[in-house]
Amino acid sequence: MPSSAPPSSPRRPIAVGAGVLVAALLLGYASYSATKPSAAGPGGAPAVAESSAAPGGNTHPELLKLARRDAGDPLAAGRADAPVVMVEYADFQCGYCGKFARDTEPELMRKYVENGTLRIEWRNFPIFGAESEAAARASWAAGRQGRFWQFHAAAYADGAKEKGFGAARLRELAREAGVADLDRFDRDTRSGAARDAVARDQEEGHGLGAASTPSFLVNGRPIAGAQPMETFTEAIEAAAAEAGAGRAAGSGASEQGGRGPR
């Protein structure tokens, strides 16, 4: 899949500090590098993407603020107080996003989300046109009935994107995901609230300089592309260790400060 640039309309950068500019440049370049074709495949189609994300040493503390940690967020999995938050920017028509969703994300859920180490926060980042936008809104609508992750699995199943994301197909996916009230799902998908929620996620991704999908932040450390499991393991375990060291240091300082003069 070729690298896909975001729409050309102007976007305001996220104002969370000067470090975001550095991260935007890093994530934008890494997004391009991770998704550019390494060679032409049959018929001129792009071959498998080159792997380029190196998680070590690229943490930007300012980007930690982008983790929303809303306990009621239906588009998130894991404890709100987990030491590591992975923010994922993705498009339902993106083949690499589907590969990550099928091959890597379930293992991350089992290995890190279930034991409380990791929280995954989804951001809808539709960059492939009207059907991507429609699928993003539909995923939000499914989340309103507590079925976002089931919709996510159905939309990323093998062969799902080839069937398109027209209105009838989205309703079929919602039914497959176990959405109880399909009429409400249709209304929510078309609502201004859905448009606003998706636009908020898009603004965040564009402000970071994400140039393609999937793109990730792991406790402020940018990773671009459907990288191997080992890339995410390294980033998550390093972030968990850093978070643990920070808590230990804070606890030690509190104890020392609480003793008072002897």
Side-chain angles (χ1 to χ4, degrees):
M1 180 180 297
S3 176
S4 301
S8 58
S9 58
R11 303 280 179 172
R12 290 183 298 174
I14 300 169
V16 295
V20 171
L21 177 58
V22 177
L25 293 171
L26 174 66
L27 185 54
Y29 174 74
S31 293
Y32 168 73
S33 299
T35 56
K36 70 180 180 181
S38 58
V48 177
E50 295 174 358
S51 174
S52 68
N58 293 327
T59 300
H60 296 274
E62 296 89 344
L63 300 184
L64 288 169
K65 299 176 184 179
L66 297 181
R68 296 171 188 171
R69 293 187 178 275
D70 177 0
D73 182 359
L75 276 62
R79 296 171 46 151
D81 63 350
V84 183
V85 177
M86 183 176 78
V87 182
E88 175 184 356
Y89 301 86
D91 183 312
F92 284 104
Q93 289 198 102
C94 164
Y96 291 142
C97 300
K99 176 177 174 58
F100 174 80
R102 293 187 299 272
D103 298 348
T104 305
E105 199 158 37
E107 191 172 350
L108 294 178
M109 292 277 193
R110 288 190 295 269
K111 188 171 182 179
Y112 295 112
V113 173
E114 290 180 7
N115 71 9
T117 299
L118 178 67
R119 174 178 174 83
I120 299 176
E121 295 188 354
W122 171 270
R123 303 287 190 265
N124 274 304
F125 194 55
I127 59 175
F128 290 106
E131 288 202 356
S132 289
E133 179 82 19
R137 295 178 188 176
S139 75
W140 180 87
R144 297 275 286 176
Q145 298 187 52
R147 306 301 288 179
F148 168 77
W149 290 103
Q150 291 82 359
F151 182 94
H152 171 279
Y156 277 136
D158 260 328
K161 79 181 182 70
E162 285 74 18
K163 297 179 182 178
F165 292 115
R169 173 64 177 151
L170 291 172
R171 188 179 174 95
E172 180 183 337
L173 287 170
R175 184 182 294 109
E176 184 179 336
V179 173
D181 187 337
L182 292 175
D183 290 336
R184 177 190 171 190
F185 168 80
D186 289 340
R187 292 193 302 272
D188 285 343
T189 297
R190 297 191 300 267
S191 70
R195 288 194 297 272
D196 291 345
V198 172
R200 176 190 180 192
D201 290 353
Q202 284 178 308
E203 290 289 341
E204 186 175 293
H206 286 305
L208 284 169
S212 62
T213 51
S215 292
F216 306 88
L217 296 174
V218 177
N219 273 18
R221 176 175 291 138
I223 298 176
Q227 302 296 328
M229 179 67 181
E230 293 75 14
T231 299
F232 292 96
T233 296
E234 179 185 343
I236 291 165
E237 293 187 358
E242 290 163 5
R247 285 198 302 270
S251 174
S254 297
E255 291 176 7
Q256 186 175 11
R259 290 191 187 118
R262 291 182 180 270

